[in-house]
Amino acid sequence: MYYIGLLKQTLNESKAYRLNFLLSFIVELIPLLGTLFLVKFIYSSGSSFQGWDYQSLILYFIIARVSGDIFTPVSWWDITNDIKYGSLNYHLLKPYSYFFHNYFVIFSTKIMYLLTSIVVVLLTMYLFIGIPEIEFYWSNLFIYLAYFILASIISYQMTFLLSISAFKFVEIEFIDSIMTFALPILTGVFLPFDIYPNWVKSILEWLPTSFIAYYPAKLLSSNLFSPNEILVIFGKMFIWMIIFTIVIKIMWKKSLKAYEGIG
Amino acid sequence: MCQDLIEVCNVSKGYKTKISSSLFKPKFKEINALHDISFTYNTSGNIGVLGRNGAGKTTLLKLMTGIIHPDNGSIKILGHTPHKLDKEFKNQIGLYQGGRQQLIWDLPAIESLRLSRYIYKYSKSEFDRRIELFKEAFDIAEELNQPLRNMSLGQRTKMELLFSFLHLPKLVFLDEPSSDLDVVVRKKLREFINFCNQELKIQFVITSHNINDVFECCDKCVILDRGTVLYYDDISALLKLRNKDKITLEATTSSEAAAITKRFDGNQDGNNVEFFINKEKYTETLSFIFTNYKVTNLNVEQELLETLIANILENK
């Protein structure tokens, strides 16, 4: 009941920022447009890209961008601030889970972000590929939904894990560097993993960051995965979820013992 | 068995602070924030915690709420061990820390307050009833529908305070509740705390530099100094320690003023004299002055509460 109330309240709050969401998406669209024009140029000159057709690749880049925005753990800053400046005190004394409290705050904000940017996304898609021809199966809808729920949990677990390093380290700006430089490559927002050598691709596909953009973009842009491959993806997700759950539980318990509750 | 509201037994808490930033062998210094603190509290009123900066007031409050763990000793609050942070304990307490925000900046205050009913699971009608009750008692009717960002610091403080006990807990911890408030709102806050205690049976633990918060709202008081308990007793017993009155008078001549100054070890400024006397010598002293000197103006003031606490802290 609490989380539903929180969801409603955060959606209300996010409404106040919808123009900001739209403007930030438009700004983020600039480098994406550069990539899309590059793809258009490559395909119009008769070349292709590692077996991808034009429509799938355009769709890949657009979906990877949106998916990256939704799942990239940008909210680590809020959690680290709670820890560093003592606002965590209030959360610790409330009869709810701080972990799930933040999960609902983050993803209800992301829902509003998605709703405000959807028009621009569809317009961009239309400009480059017209109305895409995608075969639709109801069974796929279930797979996509399940995927997005699991991916949101894993991406949030990564956020949480990075953020609670603030219990140990005073300076945590290194997280910002990870987000800016490493994450676009590790998530597949920058390029699909197919362009890298096979051994690099295999490593990247096993990393939890691949669930942020690479897999969802590939799942939605083309039907490149067989049912068996989809099962393997879900299997990997479950393994990472279990690993993160255990590590977070241990770290959280240890960190709270050392917490000083500044202020 | 009678359960104490607060039971603090031989509690110590220290912090390590970095004193050198060497890359390989940083040096740390151990700071004893609290040392072997013990007291119990089991009446139905409120308890105040006083002390100078760094005395350990906030550390004690954080230990009692369970935000931090004690190094040694044990604490029981409402029969619970606070740092275990069990759900039943969390439902029975509230916390307000001055200068720290928990409500949402861009939403009307009432929207943020509504979250209290989801957190602590009570009905909408009960929420409306409580808002009606507090609206009058705390004088917040006008602010309720304003976003926090449009409020003054004092107004925001009132909203944050309200959020900390809107769920009607048994015990509320207030850390410097009046530090951001003007004199009128401060007075209102004290009335409000007493109202909550008497009418709603909510009890408060108040740490404050504002001595009147404690003297007007609490029946017991802990005075901390350098991490130890310097004084723990009833407020009425503390007031009895206030045994000196300040006399200011105006003599008719400066020679008479000088004689009075010499007799009572006071300070002279022209015909004006200022000195302190013990309460038990009050009548005797005044009768002596009126018999032996010509005085045109005389004023008696009780010792200021601040002076009393400062004297205790300075061991006078």
Side-chain angles (χ1 to χ4, degrees):
Chain A
M1 186 189 171
Y2 164 64
Y3 299 108
I4 294 167
L6 182 67
L7 192 85
K8 272 197 231 165
Q9 197 199 40
T10 318
L11 282 173
N12 264 345
E13 189 195 1
S14 310
K15 274 184 207 162
Y17 309 128
R18 56 188 185 274
L19 185 65
N20 177 46
F21 289 154
L22 186 64
L23 290 174
S24 27
F25 187 77
I26 289 171
V27 172
E28 283 175 28
L29 206 62
I30 296 168
L32 175 67
L33 284 175
T35 313
L36 298 183
F37 277 116
L38 182 68
V39 173
K40 197 173 183 181
F41 172 77
I42 291 170
Y43 279 82
S44 61
S45 63
S47 309
S48 71
F49 186 86
Q50 294 281 0
W52 287 75
D53 63 65
Y54 173 71
Q55 178 188 297
S56 300
L57 195 58
I58 291 286
L59 273 176
Y60 176 91
F61 279 116
I62 294 173
I63 295 165
R65 176 77 267 163
V66 176
S67 178
D69 282 346
I70 293 170
F71 296 132
T72 297
V74 283
S75 45
W76 63 275
W77 190 250
D78 294 330
I79 301 172
T80 52
N81 274 352
D82 279 350
I83 296 167
K84 275 176 79 173
Y85 302 113
S87 307
L88 181 64
N89 298 356
Y90 282 134
H91 294 290
L92 288 178
L93 301 187
K94 298 271 183 335
Y96 55 67
S97 150
Y98 178 65
F99 180 87
F100 288 112
H101 167 90
N102 270 306
Y103 174 81
F104 278 87
V105 169
I106 289 167
F107 285 99
S108 39
T109 312
K110 298 280 186 172
I111 289 171
M112 190 51 74
Y113 178 86
L114 184 65
L115 291 175
T116 38
S117 55
I118 197 82
V119 178
V120 187
V121 172
L122 293 174
L123 193 68
T124 314
M125 222 180 259
Y126 182 75
L127 280 175
F128 282 87
I129 50 176
I131 297 166
E133 291 165 20
I134 298 172
E135 287 180 57
F136 179 77
Y137 302 101
W138 280 102
S139 57
N140 282 2
L141 186 69
F142 173 75
I143 292 171
Y144 298 147
L145 269 178
Y147 180 88
F148 275 87
I149 291 168
L150 290 181
S152 70
I153 294 171
I154 291 179
S155 71
Y156 175 62
Q157 283 180 317
M158 284 191 281
T159 311
F160 198 79
L161 204 53
L162 280 172
S163 310
I164 59 178
S165 60
F167 278 115
K168 185 81 186 153
F169 304 109
V170 182
E171 296 299 328
I172 38 147
E173 274 65 30
F174 68 93
I175 301 176
D176 206 29
S177 307
I178 296 175
M179 300 295 166
T180 315
F181 303 112
L183 222 58
I185 293 167
L186 298 177
T187 53
V189 169
F190 185 60
L191 281 174
F193 296 161
D194 310 71
I195 196 169
Y196 304 118
N198 275 342
W199 66 273
V200 177
K201 185 186 169 192
S202 306
I203 293 171
L204 290 174
E205 280 185 340
W206 261 101
L207 292 179
T209 43
S210 59
F211 307 120
I212 290 178
Y214 173 70
Y215 282 121
K218 222 169 161 180
L219 269 170
L220 285 169
S221 62
S222 55
N223 287 316
L224 289 178
F225 294 113
S226 67
N228 271 351
E229 284 172 318
I230 289 175
L231 271 179
V232 171
I233 296 170
F234 275 86
K236 282 183 196 171
M237 291 175 101
F238 275 110
I239 291 170
W240 275 111
M241 263 176 63
I242 292 166
I243 293 171
F244 281 138
T245 307
I246 294 168
V247 177
I248 286 171
K249 274 205 163 183
I250 295 169
M251 273 190 68
W252 181 250
K253 215 174 171 184
K254 276 186 96 173
S255 306
L256 275 192
K257 268 195 170 178
Y259 180 56
E260 289 176 6
I262 310 295
Chain B
M1 196 178 78
C2 174
Q3 178 188 287
D4 287 327
L5 183 74
I6 298 170
E7 189 188 313
V8 177
C9 190
N10 303 112
V11 167
S12 298
K13 178 71 186 172
Y15 295 107
K16 264 186 183 173
T17 180
K18 218 182 208 179
I19 51 169
S20 88
S21 54
S22 160
L23 188 62
F24 299 108
K25 263 194 170 179
K27 282 184 186 164
F28 292 92
K29 186 183 163 193
E30 184 83 29
I31 294 172
N32 267 338
L34 288 176
H35 181 68
D36 204 20
I37 297 270
S38 294
F39 66 93
T40 54
Y41 180 75
N42 51 18
T43 63
S44 59
N46 306 316
I47 178 170
V49 183
L50 295 170
R52 50 182 129 193
N53 288 328
K57 301 186 296 294
T58 302
T59 302
L60 177 62
L61 188 125
K62 285 191 278 187
L63 285 165
M64 288 196 286
T65 52
I67 291 168
I68 55 174
H69 295 219
D71 294 339
N72 292 305
S74 66
I75 303 174
K76 290 269 180 195
I77 305 290
L78 298 156
H80 298 264
T81 304
H83 67 261
K84 287 186 178 166
L85 292 172
D86 58 77
K87 223 171 189 176
E88 202 190 327
F89 172 66
K90 290 179 185 181
N91 276 316
Q92 293 179 40
I93 62 158
L95 168 72
Y96 169 81
Q97 287 193 289
R100 191 151 290 159
Q101 190 186 318
Q102 53 180 335
L103 299 179
I104 296 171
W105 189 249
D106 293 307
L107 286 186
I110 187 79
E111 294 292 318
S112 292
L113 293 172
R114 213 182 297 281
L115 212 52
S116 163
R117 109 175 161 80
Y118 295 117
I119 298 172
Y120 297 98
K121 299 182 176 72
Y122 52 92
S123 66
K124 185 182 177 298
S125 56
E126 179 58 22
F127 173 79
D128 293 339
R129 192 189 67 81
R130 289 179 194 183
I131 289 291
E132 277 307 311
L133 175 78
F134 289 129
K135 203 158 77 174
E136 298 307 318
F138 209 14
D139 191 19
I140 48 166
E142 278 179 32
E143 295 100 319
L144 272 174
N145 291 308
Q146 281 179 34
L148 241 61
R149 66 179 140 83
N150 292 347
M151 291 184 192
S152 68
L153 186 58
Q155 289 172 323
R156 284 204 301 272
T157 304
K158 283 202 278 185
M159 292 300 159
E160 295 282 350
L161 274 163
L162 182 57
F163 191 58
S164 64
F165 49 80
L166 193 55
H167 58 292
L168 306 185
K170 284 186 180 166
L171 186 63
V172 178
F173 297 87
L174 302 178
D175 190 12
E176 300 292 349
S178 63
S179 59
D180 299 326
L181 305 176
D182 62 52
V183 280
V184 179
V185 184
R186 244 182 235 172
K187 186 171 169 283
K188 194 85 193 165
L189 171 72
R190 288 174 203 139
E191 288 167 6
F192 186 59
I193 290 172
N194 288 330
F195 164 81
C196 289
N197 182 246
Q198 282 148 25
E199 303 298 323
L200 306 169
K201 308 297 169 214
I202 299 174
Q203 291 185 261
F204 294 85
V205 177
I206 305 168
T207 72
S208 183
H209 283 297
N210 197 326
I211 287 159
N212 289 327
D213 292 347
V214 172
F215 277 82
E216 287 179 28
C217 301
C218 302
D219 60 338
K220 280 212 172 203
C221 161
V222 182
I223 300 177
L224 293 175
D225 189 41
R226 295 184 185 93
T228 56
V229 174
L230 205 61
Y231 177 92
Y232 176 56
D233 207 339
D234 291 346
I235 290 287
S236 53
L238 189 61
L239 286 171
K240 279 184 193 155
L241 296 175
R242 193 162 64 163
N243 59 357
K244 280 187 176 174
D245 283 342
K246 184 171 135 186
I247 309 275
T248 45
L249 59 83
E250 190 181 348
T252 44
T253 61
S254 63
S255 58
E256 284 220 324
I260 296 170
T261 306
K262 196 176 173 193
R263 177 79 174 77
F264 294 104
D265 192 21
N267 294 314
Q268 186 187 352
D269 178 15
N271 288 1
N272 296 315
V273 184
E274 178 187 293
F275 61 93
F276 289 91
I277 54 164
N278 284 332
K279 273 192 191 300
E280 61 265 28
K281 290 188 177 169
Y282 181 75
T283 322
E284 183 192 328
T285 307
L286 289 192
S287 119
F288 180 83
I289 288 171
F290 287 123
T291 315
N292 297 291
Y293 307 104
K294 280 185 181 164
V295 172
T296 53
N297 197 1
L298 187 139
N299 193 23
V300 183
E301 280 175 53
Q302 279 202 315
E303 185 181 25
L304 289 173
L305 292 172
E306 276 88 353
T307 315
L308 171 70
I309 299 298
N311 286 343
I312 292 173
L313 287 171
E314 286 162 13
N315 209 8
K316 282 184 185 170

